[in-house]
Amino acid sequence: MNCMICNAPLTASEYCPKCGCRVTAQKKAWALSNLYYNQGLEKAQVRDLSGAITCLKRSLKMNKLNIQARNLLGLVYFETGEVVAALSHWVISKNMMPADNPAAGYISQLQKDGNRLDEINNSIRKYNQCLEYCRSGNTDMAKMQLKKVLASNPKLIKGYHLLSLIYIHEEEYEKARRQLKTAAKIDKSNTTTLRFLKEVEEQTGRRTNLEPRFGMREKEREGKDGSLIYRSGNDVVIQPPEFREKTITNTLVNLVLGLVVGAAALWFLVVPAITQNVNEAANQKVVDYSNQMATQAAELERLQEQMNASQESVDTAQSQIEAAEKQTTDYENLLKAWDEYQQGNFTNAANAIAEVSSDSLSVEGKSIYDTIMNQVGDTLKRQYRDEGINYINAGNYDAAIESLTKAVNIGTQDRRSMYYLAQAYAGKGDVANAVSWYQKVVDNYPGTQNALDAQDYIDQHEDEISTEDSQGDTQSGDGESSQDTSTDEENTDEGTEG
């Protein structure tokens, strides 16, 4: 024993030889801890596990460094199926005394059998699920799950208690009695077990015998007159000698009569009863299986509804996140455009404002957007138009249409943007849209070179628009559009140089 203050070894004196602290209370506490440990050990040896747990907890309360008490408490918890509590005490014990500690062997032995440890953990999770089933009134699912739990973890006393409580609730007292007797074999003095047994005894009016069924009557000796003498508890029972026939004829006659009577009884009594029992058992199994299938189908439907609701929530949240990210990006680009605008860098401001979607902006943000666009709109319009012309030259008409549409929609519609947008539609083979935009050039800018070229295209494809030709005619129009594009590209270069 060491001093709690300085950790020096103590002697028979009431004071620590090193620090001089009085250690009388410490010695008494440690002595009580050892006393409770010995009591717990005695109770554990006779399978009074509940009493052992109480004594060992008191022992650790007196001296938390009592390694033997902590290890034994872990063993008792493990014997009652409480594997998590057992591991907790063994881990604490190992940390307190790393060397020569049996707890390290217990932990390593349990960890070696990983499958068994996983099985125990699964049984505990299933037991907790059974509690939820009981709280929700689904006792049928709880019973089926508890039977699986007790099959994988037969020492879990709480499982027997919960299953017997369900049987008591359903007034199946004999089934509850069997579960409680099994729990009593593990821990014979468990107060919950005894309380539930008392309830079963009050309901059935029959006392429960927790002693072994066999070995109660012990044959002592045979009397001189052939009588048998037994001892049953504290009582001595004397059975009189059997009467034996003395002649062989009487014996054979009795034997034949017995066989005949037995065969008749078997035929008229036993066989119909067995057949009836088999039929009733089969019918009951069919009913049980039908109930189980119905319960499982309802449970599956409920889980499917939960999954669908969860998926809808996830999709909604994802959409909201994407919208928020898009709005954040728009505001970041708007702030960047405003900063460049304040510094007079209109080109950079135009590049930044081009990435902003005004639909996601607030009223204040839209006001800033309009202010910037009023100043850099021409620059941005020119960028989109040049970008569309480059796409036309590269033959990427879809990208050209997208860029030129943006250019047309910024500010007032200008002749060059409309003309090249019509040229992009012509290059793609969309004659209807091409003629529509060429017509706008002719109407708004008559007499210009672009208007003359647009009118030539309209005249060449007038028949296609009026008759809506088939696919062969469309392909023919595509070839002509390509020729037109090359001509417009020359005009584009000339216009740019001018």
Side-chain angles (χ1 to χ4, degrees), residues 63-273:
N63 179 14
K64 66 178 182 180
L65 300 177
N66 194 335
I67 302 299
Q68 292 180 335
R70 194 173 294 278
N71 291 343
L72 181 57
L73 181 57
L75 289 173
V76 174
Y77 273 130
F78 184 80
E79 188 65 20
T80 59
E82 304 270 348
V83 181
V84 176
L87 281 173
S88 300
H89 284 287
W90 289 339
V91 170
I92 295 173
S93 174
K94 182 180 178 181
N95 291 331
M96 288 182 174
M97 189 178 76
D100 298 331
N101 193 338
Y106 302 152
I107 296 173
S108 62
Q109 185 177 1
L110 190 59
Q111 290 176 345
K112 285 180 182 178
D113 192 358
N115 295 331
R116 177 57 181 165
L117 186 59
D118 292 339
E119 188 176 359
I120 293 174
N121 290 333
N122 289 332
S123 67
I124 294 174
R125 284 195 291 268
K126 291 179 180 179
Y127 170 78
N128 294 331
Q129 183 64 43
C130 291
L131 289 176
E132 295 298 328
Y133 284 147
C134 291
R135 292 190 182 102
S136 61
N138 196 352
T139 56
D140 292 333
M141 291 293 294
K143 282 193 297 184
M144 289 190 294
Q145 193 80 301
L146 279 172
K147 290 177 181 178
K148 296 179 182 179
V149 169
L150 295 176
S152 60
N153 190 1
K155 294 182 179 180
L156 188 61
I157 293 181
K158 292 182 178 179
Y160 292 107
H161 290 166
L162 183 56
L163 183 56
S164 63
L165 193 60
I166 295 174
Y167 283 138
I168 292 173
H169 177 70
E170 296 177 351
E171 297 184 357
E172 297 182 4
Y173 299 110
E174 294 304 323
K175 292 183 179 180
R177 192 195 306 272
R178 286 197 295 269
Q179 299 299 326
L180 293 172
K181 289 176 70 174
T182 305
K185 292 178 182 178
I186 301 173
D187 184 6
K188 68 178 185 179
S189 65
N190 189 282
T191 55
T192 304
T193 303
L194 298 178
R195 187 171 69 252
F196 288 175
L197 274 175
K198 184 178 179 182
E199 177 67 21
V200 171
E201 291 172 355
E202 290 178 355
Q203 295 295 331
T204 59
R206 186 167 66 86
R207 192 170 181 275
T208 304
N209 185 13
L210 298 178
E211 297 296 331
R213 295 179 58 186
F214 302 102
M216 291 297 296
R217 294 177 61 197
E218 180 183 357
K219 183 178 178 181
E220 293 287 344
R221 62 184 182 277
E222 185 175 350
K224 295 181 180 179
D225 56 352
S227 61
L228 298 178
I229 303 176
Y230 295 91
R231 175 177 296 169
S232 178
N234 296 325
D235 300 329
V236 177
V237 179
I238 301 177
Q239 181 177 345
E242 297 179 356
F243 177 76
R244 298 181 177 87
E245 295 288 345
K246 300 299 183 180
T247 63
I248 298 176
T249 303
N250 292 335
T251 303
L252 292 176
V253 171
N254 291 334
L255 180 61
V256 172
L257 290 175
L259 291 174
V260 173
V261 173
L266 180 65
W267 181 259
F268 291 104
L269 299 178
V270 178
V271 173

